[in-house]
Amino acid sequence: MRSRAAKRQKVFQISLRLFSLLVFALIWEVAGRAEISFGLRPLSGTLKALVDLIGSGDLAYAFLISFRTLITGFSAAAIFGVSLGLIMGTFRRFEHFCNVYLMLLLSMPTAALIPLILLTMGFGFVAESLIVFLFAVPIIAINTHTGVLNIEASLIQMSRCFLASRSQLFLKVILPGSVPMMMAGLRLGLSRAFIGMITAELILSPLGLGRLISISTSKFQYERLFAVTLSILIVAALILDGMQRVERRLLRWRH
Amino acid sequence: MERLGVELHHISKSFEKDGSPVQVLDNLDVRNEAGEFVSFLGPSGCGKTTTLKIIGGLLEPDGGEVIIGNKRVTGPGPDRSIVFQDYALLPWVDVLRNVAFGLELRGVPKGEREEIARTYIQKVKLSGFEHHYPNELSGGMQQRVGLARALAVNPQILLMDEPFASVDEQTRRLFQSDLSDLWQEEQKTVIFITHSMEEAVYLSDRIFVMSARPGRIVEEFVVHLPRPRTAQDIRGSKEFTESVEHLWGVLRELQ
Ligand SMILES: Nc1ncnc2c1ncn2[C@@H]1O[C@H](COP(=O)(O)OP(=O)(O)OP(=O)(O)O)[C@@H](O)[C@H]1O
Ligand SMILES: [Mg+2]
């Protein structure tokens, strides 16, 4: 039941967003034509290169390769991170054991680990997926853990009063209670996974998006470079938006 | 249904505060006969909730023991349920599931438990709100959900922690007479906490007045009003006003 005023508000918000994009596109075009710097190409040229990339299938292929890495690494991080967070929230001893590593992994520049992984694992799909995993996992685990800790003590007492078994307490209170923080963690984890994927490919991959970027750069095909970057931006934004929609769906009770 | 009494033998309890123990309950000795309605009255922070949680088996006393029907209490049990002062509702499920939660934990089939829940939802005058989430309800409505949940598991002993504190005066009076009728019908053993002297006098067989820091019983007051009590003639009676005046005298001494 959305009121007319709310609908108008929504239309207004969307128009404002589109306008903001338009302004950005205009500035880009003008700045590109004015040749502020040699590398900066106008939007029109970038779009043309994008069409070419799509037409030749190069872009689709690169996305396919990159997303295989992203999905593998992120899925592993989601499963492992959520489980770890839940276990840490349930068993206090485990919490102190793990926290150090998670905090280290979260606060250090994760890219610094890449040479180490290269050295031990060599190039390839597995090494790249591992890097994506390492980028995403700490924030997912930490958020899930915080989600468990944030569950009100009174809810746990209430469940005990109504005779919840340990598994019921977990399934009916702790798990659903930590979903909000867990979802936020997964969303942040996914943005970090994107960063991990591109970083790994820029350094490691003979294929994929990162490679497309580095090849375009070395061949001075700046339109292509901009086109690839733009496509990544758009896809990443769409996926994160999709996740936010799922999250809102799951957390209807909060609104 | 078997009727159970509650006995508190020399209960004491302290909490840790900044490394040093603060005594909250000191040598509480109370006997609640089977089927009797007793109230606890006392200033904020005197340990009423703590007492109730000890009886509910959610907190362990440092000294003394709680005996229910010849058995020592070691934890929560199917014979008792609590109406929590802070409602303790699951925010992610609707009213219907919250009310049915105790039955759900006991493995009552879905159809059956929802039918029972609907009866109690009607009793607390929340029909039509079955599919609302707690954050869509006012404080008083949430409190009634907690009340319905406690009644739905049909315990022999009802532990009620200021169950009418957040409902408006009209509803409160209605609930008081409903509770009085319910008690008259089912002769449950009730332990009732309140700040309202009128409420205590109207509902109880006996009233325990507690002092603060450390909490102990300073007065045991027997209410000599006839039963069944109907609100109109009781509240106007001389006995009623005198009882309230007497309790006020005791409480004023404590300030
Ligand atoms: N878990 C706890 N840890 C430390 N102190 C506590 C804890 N629970 C209660 N207390 C302290 O014990 C005292 C009694 O608390 P309790 O909640 O039993 O009071 P109460 O009589 O129910 O008060 P009110 O009428 O305000 O609900 C308070 O001083 C409170 O600060
Ligand atoms: Mg209290």
Side-chain angles (χ1 to χ4, degrees):
Chain A
M1 277 184 292
R2 190 176 283 158
S3 72
R4 189 173 293 176
K7 227 178 238 167
R8 205 173 309 143
Q9 177 83 14
K10 186 94 195 174
V11 169
F12 181 66
Q13 273 175 9
I14 291 175
S15 334
L16 212 61
R17 243 177 258 171
L18 286 177
F19 181 65
S20 152
L21 282 180
L22 202 72
V23 170
F24 179 72
L26 217 83
I27 293 176
W28 183 352
E29 184 65 29
V30 171
R33 283 180 189 235
E35 297 199 17
I36 291 179
S37 102
F38 175 64
L40 182 66
R41 293 304 155 91
L43 177 62
S44 48
T46 303
L47 289 178
K48 201 173 143 289
L50 186 60
V51 172
D52 287 347
L53 271 170
I54 294 171
S56 68
D58 285 356
L59 193 65
Y61 181 67
F63 262 105
L64 198 76
I65 299 289
S66 295
F67 270 58
R68 204 179 50 156
T69 315
L70 183 79
I71 291 169
T72 311
F74 179 69
S75 306
I79 295 168
F80 185 79
V82 166
S83 311
L84 186 66
L86 290 173
I87 294 171
M88 281 168 68
T90 321
F91 304 101
R92 277 298 151 81
R93 238 163 286 164
F94 207 72
E95 170 185 345
H96 298 300
F97 184 82
C98 293
N99 240 345
V100 194
Y101 301 106
L102 288 177
M103 285 301 169
L104 263 177
L105 212 51
L106 187 67
S107 52
M108 77 183 288
T110 317
L113 284 177
I114 292 177
L116 219 71
I117 291 166
L118 257 180
L119 208 66
T120 48
M121 308 195 56
F123 293 88
F125 171 67
V126 178
E128 284 167 40
S129 303
L130 180 65
I131 291 165
V132 171
F133 174 86
L134 287 175
F135 266 81
V137 86
I139 191 78
I140 297 175
I142 288 170
N143 264 46
T144 307
H145 178 211
T146 312
V148 175
L149 295 187
N150 281 354
I151 294 173
E152 282 181 56
S154 73
L155 290 185
I156 292 174
Q157 280 199 338
M158 182 277 291
S159 308
R160 288 214 296 130
C161 168
F162 288 99
L163 308 175
S165 65
R166 271 189 90 93
S167 60
Q168 282 177 325
L169 184 67
F170 181 78
L171 288 174
K172 292 175 192 287
V173 180
I174 291 176
L175 196 59
S178 51
V179 163
M181 287 297 286
M182 196 191 292
M183 288 302 296
L186 287 171
R187 204 155 27 85
L188 291 170
L190 186 61
S191 12
R192 284 177 59 99
F194 267 106
I195 301 172
M197 174 187 82
I198 300 293
T199 317
E201 285 182 349
L202 280 175
I203 304 176
L204 290 181
S205 180
L207 304 155
L209 290 167
R211 192 57 182 170
L212 212 51
I213 292 178
S214 39
I215 288 178
S216 309
T217 317
S218 57
K219 288 188 181 162
F220 303 106
Q221 296 169 321
Y222 290 130
E223 278 94 355
R224 265 169 83 100
L225 168 63
F226 274 98
V228 175
T229 312
L230 186 65
S231 69
I232 295 173
L233 258 173
I234 291 170
V235 170
L238 285 178
I239 292 178
L240 286 171
D241 183 64
M243 261 186 106
Q244 210 154 22
R245 273 166 210 274
V246 172
E247 190 175 331
R248 234 175 281 153
R249 245 294 133 96
L250 277 174
L251 301 182
R252 247 173 326 172
W253 52 271
R254 295 223 289 187
H255 305 292
Chain B
M1 190 190 293
E2 189 198 358
R3 284 160 55 181
L4 296 172
V6 179
E7 296 165 34
L8 305 187
H9 293 292
H10 311 289
I11 296 289
S12 57
K13 175 83 187 167
S14 33
F15 287 114
E16 199 88 359
K17 176 94 169 88
D18 304 328
S20 58
V22 177
Q23 183 140 31
V24 174
L25 298 176
D26 180 27
N27 202 17
L28 226 57
D29 234 358
V30 172
R31 219 185 140 87
N32 187 5
E33 304 299 336
E36 191 188 24
F37 197 121
V38 301
S39 290
F40 283 82
L41 199 58
S44 190
C46 72
K48 302 181 294 294
T49 298
T50 307
T51 309
L52 206 74
K53 284 185 176 168
I54 289 173
I55 300 170
L58 296 174
L59 289 176
E60 234 185 294
D62 299 335
E65 55 185 10
V66 180
I67 307 282
I68 291 178
N70 300 323
K71 279 204 245 7
R72 181 164 189 253
V73 167
T74 52
D79 52 350
R80 283 154 287 155
S81 67
I82 301 182
V83 180
F84 289 89
Q85 185 173 12
D86 58 358
Y87 324 140
L89 304 180
L90 299 174
W92 53 86
V93 299
D94 60 14
V95 168
L96 186 65
R97 271 197 70 187
N98 264 298
V99 172
F101 189 60
L103 299 164
E104 182 182 339
L105 293 176
R106 281 168 212 201
V108 177
K110 194 171 157 94
E112 192 181 330
R113 68 176 186 247
E114 292 195 342
E115 197 184 312
I116 299 172
R118 279 178 204 279
T119 346
Y120 285 99
I121 288 171
Q122 195 175 3
K123 274 198 186 179
V124 299
K125 311 211 161 49
L126 284 177
S127 300
F129 291 94
E130 286 85 354
H131 299 298
H132 281 61
Y133 290 100
N135 77 340
E136 298 168 330
L137 304 177
S138 71
M141 290 160 93
Q142 294 185 44
Q143 192 153 45
R144 279 136 67 185
V145 176
L147 183 63
R149 176 179 59 195
L151 292 171
V153 295
N154 194 23
Q156 288 124 304
I157 301 166
L158 253 181
L159 307 171
M160 310 177 88
D161 199 348
E162 305 190 30
F164 307 148
S166 312
V167 301
D168 57 76
E169 188 62 29
Q170 302 97 285
T171 316
R172 182 197 317 236
R173 291 223 175 172
L174 288 176
F175 278 1
Q176 285 169 3
S177 68
D178 283 355
L179 180 62
S180 187
D181 293 347
L182 180 91
W183 177 84
Q184 199 77 40
E185 272 167 45
E186 308 196 8
Q187 300 278 295
K188 286 186 194 301
T189 306
V190 180
I191 298 181
F192 191 91
I193 291 174
T194 178
H195 277 131
S196 157
M197 292 166 272
E198 285 88 358
E199 183 167 272
V201 172
Y202 175 64
L203 289 168
S204 320
D205 296 312
R206 272 189 303 152
I207 299 167
F208 295 99
V209 182
M210 286 177 76
S211 70
R213 242 154 281 203
R216 49 163 73 105
I217 306 289
V218 290
E219 163 111 357
E220 179 188 337
F221 182 77
V222 180
V223 182
H224 286 296
L225 296 171
R227 287 198 187 264
R229 296 174 187 167
T230 47
Q232 298 91 310
D233 43 69
I234 289 297
R235 285 185 206 277
S237 73
K238 185 155 163 276
E239 177 83 42
F240 184 88
T241 19
E242 276 176 7
S243 302
V244 172
E245 274 310 305
H246 174 81
L247 289 173
W248 171 227
V250 176
L251 282 170
R252 198 171 33 197
E253 286 290 292
L254 291 176
Q255 300 302 313

